[in-house]
Amino acid sequence: MTGCAHHSVFPTLSGEPPAVIAHRGASGYLPEHTLAAYELAIEQGADFIEPDLVSTKDGTLIARHELNITETTDVGAHPEFASRRTAKTIDGKRAEGWFADDFTLAEIKTLRARQRLPFREQQFNGRFEIPTFQEVIELAKRASDRTGRVIGVYPETKHPTYHRSVGLPLEEKLIELLDHYGLNGSTAPVVIQSFETTNLKGLRKLTEIRLVQLIDGDGIAPDGGPVPGKPYDFTVSGDPRTYADLLTLDGLKAIKTYADGIGPWKRYLVGFADSAGRDRSADDSGEKLGEPTAVIRDAHSVGLFVHAWTFRNEPRYLASDYGGDPLNEYRQFFGLGVDAVFSDFPDTAVSARAACRK
């Protein structure tokens, strides 16, 4: 298994140390997408905090992983909103629950965040508000002033095709807010990401902010590699390509025309030796790693940086090769040349990076 080099130069696109992106904040410790989780991530040394963005009914961008807020808020405990429970089809998938775009911002602010994963600490449920994107930007600016280091924001536009279809497009409001805070430029500490392609191409016409094409997978194939999904805008337009097609050399060259980097699920970089074929969320602890792929090398060859996701400490997320130690996973990926990692545990990622520099 490849390990990180113990010297000052990393095999990243720039040669600089890889960045640590706090995935939904320090979400391994506190409920995701809360100001408290972002604040903790900054204290732990994260370079970026990552808010996923959805829209309220009245057009305010808020930080939630999905439009469906059933699992991540206490909305089910609010009898005044019982009648709002409904079913919607988003990105081709039917889901039931309560959805952010059926609530005004004032109503969203009466809710409190909950820990989504049952095996993580539940003691903080009900304590924290749902933040707006504006509040996240202001938090990052305050933290930058306080700490003397630049804290970046790394927003993801969630379900862009759906949002536009219901008259709540995300992109213009996102750029308007960034522009208001002086963050609309190629050198701004901001990266915008999306699993779709059309909205990234549209954003490229609006801004010089760095853009990232996210690369998703639907599960693990029998050969241990990912079962490739596809951008939802491809589904809508009838484009037969999948995310795997975007990772070919020609696909990467095409991405370079509208984006600055890729954000692949880490199984596109290092798969398993073999697998019976399974869901992506299944336990990884019994799996053996396969050989690294050429994706990082190929992306770097066309000038794209690679930000891999998602790194977590719990044993269920660690292949057997890592011996239950999350530091070993970071060492491998840092040694392979990833330019950044999305982590639920930013302190662990920062420690691993520091160890690689000694």
Side-chain angles (χ1 to χ4, degrees), residues 64 69-76 111-114 130:
R64 288 289 89 189
I69 58 174
T70 306
E71 291 185 337
T72 62
T73 74
D74 62 357
V75 63
L111 307 179
R112 293 297 179 266
R114 298 181 69 254
I130 313 307

Side-chain angles (χ1 to χ4, degrees), residues 102-155:
D102 291 331
F103 292 78
T104 65
L105 177 62
E107 290 171 332
I108 288 288
K109 283 296 187 179
T110 68
L111 307 179
R112 293 297 179 266
R114 298 181 69 254
Q115 170 57 254
R116 180 177 57 89
L117 298 174
F119 53 83
R120 288 184 174 167
E121 292 288 344
Q122 303 293 314
Q123 67 193 69
F124 302 103
N125 290 344
R127 294 193 187 183
F128 307 122
E129 286 187 2
I130 313 307
T132 66
F133 182 46
Q134 181 173 354
E135 290 171 327
V136 177
I137 294 173
E138 291 175 349
L139 170 64
K141 280 189 162 288
R142 289 195 305 272
S144 297
D145 291 341
R146 183 181 72 249
T147 64
R149 61 188 186 89
V150 178
I151 308 300
V153 290
Y154 204 121

Side-chain angles (χ1 to χ4, degrees), residues 188-248:
V190 178
V191 182
I192 302 173
Q193 52 178 327
S194 179
F195 281 108
E196 296 190 22
T197 66
T198 304
N199 73 315
L200 288 175
K201 293 173 181 176
L203 281 164
R204 183 79 299 160
K205 298 175 182 177
L206 298 176
T207 183
E208 294 182 353
I209 289 171
R210 289 168 291 174
L211 304 179
V212 165
Q213 177 67 66
L214 294 172
I215 306 291
D216 204 356
D218 290 341
I220 301 295
D223 66 0
V227 176
K230 65 189 305 180
Y232 184 63
D233 54 319
F234 282 13
T235 300
V236 172
S237 67
D239 191 322
R241 291 176 297 163
T242 70
Y243 284 115
D245 295 303
L246 298 185
L247 292 182
T248 64

Side-chain angles (χ1 to χ4, degrees), residues 22-41:
H23 184 241
R24 313 179 198 176
S27 55
Y29 299 102
L30 293 172
E32 64 189 41
H33 293 313
T34 59
L35 292 182
Y38 297 133
E39 288 172 342
L40 178 58

Side-chain angles (χ1 to χ4, degrees), residues 61-342:
L61 301 183
I62 62 171
R64 288 289 89 189
H65 180 56
E66 301 288 353
L67 270 162
N68 191 333
I69 58 174
T70 306
E71 291 185 337
T72 62
T73 74
D74 62 357
V75 63
H78 285 251
E80 68 273 26
F81 298 137
S83 63
R84 304 278 181 94
R85 185 176 177 90
T86 187
K88 295 191 180 194
T89 300
I90 299 175
D91 296 356
K93 298 177 181 178
R94 192 75 170 165
E96 294 186 2
W98 288 267
F99 297 83
D101 60 325
D102 291 331
F103 292 78
T104 65
L105 177 62
E107 290 171 332
I108 288 288
K109 283 296 187 179
T110 68
L111 307 179
R112 293 297 179 266
R114 298 181 69 254
Q115 170 57 254
R116 180 177 57 89
L117 298 174
F119 53 83
R120 288 184 174 167
E121 292 288 344
Q122 303 293 314
Q123 67 193 69
F124 302 103
N125 290 344
R127 294 193 187 183
F128 307 122
E129 286 187 2
I130 313 307
T132 66
F133 182 46
Q134 181 173 354
E135 290 171 327
V136 177
I137 294 173
E138 291 175 349
L139 170 64
K141 280 189 162 288
R142 289 195 305 272
S144 297
D145 291 341
R146 183 181 72 249
T147 64
R149 61 188 186 89
V150 178
I151 308 300
V153 290
Y154 204 121
E156 180 188 342
T157 55
K158 300 292 293 190
H159 316 299
T161 293
Y162 171 84
H163 274 102
R164 194 164 288 275
S165 75
V166 295
L168 294 169
L170 306 172
E171 294 76 19
E172 292 82 359
K173 288 186 173 66
L174 169 59
I175 297 302
E176 181 181 334
L177 265 175
L178 293 172
D179 194 51
H180 175 76
Y181 285 95
L183 295 172
N184 186 7
S186 60
T187 61
V190 178
V191 182
I192 302 173
Q193 52 178 327
S194 179
F195 281 108
E196 296 190 22
T197 66
T198 304
N199 73 315
L200 288 175
K201 293 173 181 176
L203 281 164
R204 183 79 299 160
K205 298 175 182 177
L206 298 176
T207 183
E208 294 182 353
I209 289 171
R210 289 168 291 174
L211 304 179
V212 165
Q213 177 67 66
L214 294 172
I215 306 291
D216 204 356
D218 290 341
I220 301 295
D223 66 0
V227 176
K230 65 189 305 180
Y232 184 63
D233 54 319
F234 282 13
T235 300
V236 172
S237 67
D239 191 322
R241 291 176 297 163
T242 70
Y243 284 115
D245 295 303
L246 298 185
L247 292 182
T248 64
L249 201 52
D250 285 343
L252 292 167
K253 289 176 181 177
I255 289 174
K256 182 60 178 173
T257 65
Y258 63 87
D260 303 280
I262 59 171
W265 177 30
K266 62 190 177 184
R267 292 297 153 237
Y268 284 99
L269 309 181
V270 181
F272 296 130
D274 55 61
S275 174
R278 60 176 180 78
D279 184 82
R280 193 175 73 190
S281 62
D283 194 324
D284 289 344
S285 62
E287 302 284 359
K288 294 285 292 181
L289 294 172
E291 291 297 316
T293 70
V295 169
I296 297 174
R297 181 194 67 205
D298 289 347
H300 284 176
S301 76
V302 302
L304 293 168
F305 56 74
V306 180
H307 293 178
W309 54 272
T310 302
F311 293 78
R312 299 177 168 107
N313 284 9
E314 290 98 347
R316 69 179 64 207
Y317 295 117
L318 298 171
S320 61
D321 305 61
Y322 302 129
D325 186 350
L327 293 174
N328 288 331
E329 184 177 37
Y330 289 109
R331 292 187 186 106
Q332 179 185 30
F333 280 82
F334 290 160
L336 291 172
V338 293
D339 301 279
V341 292
F342 290 84

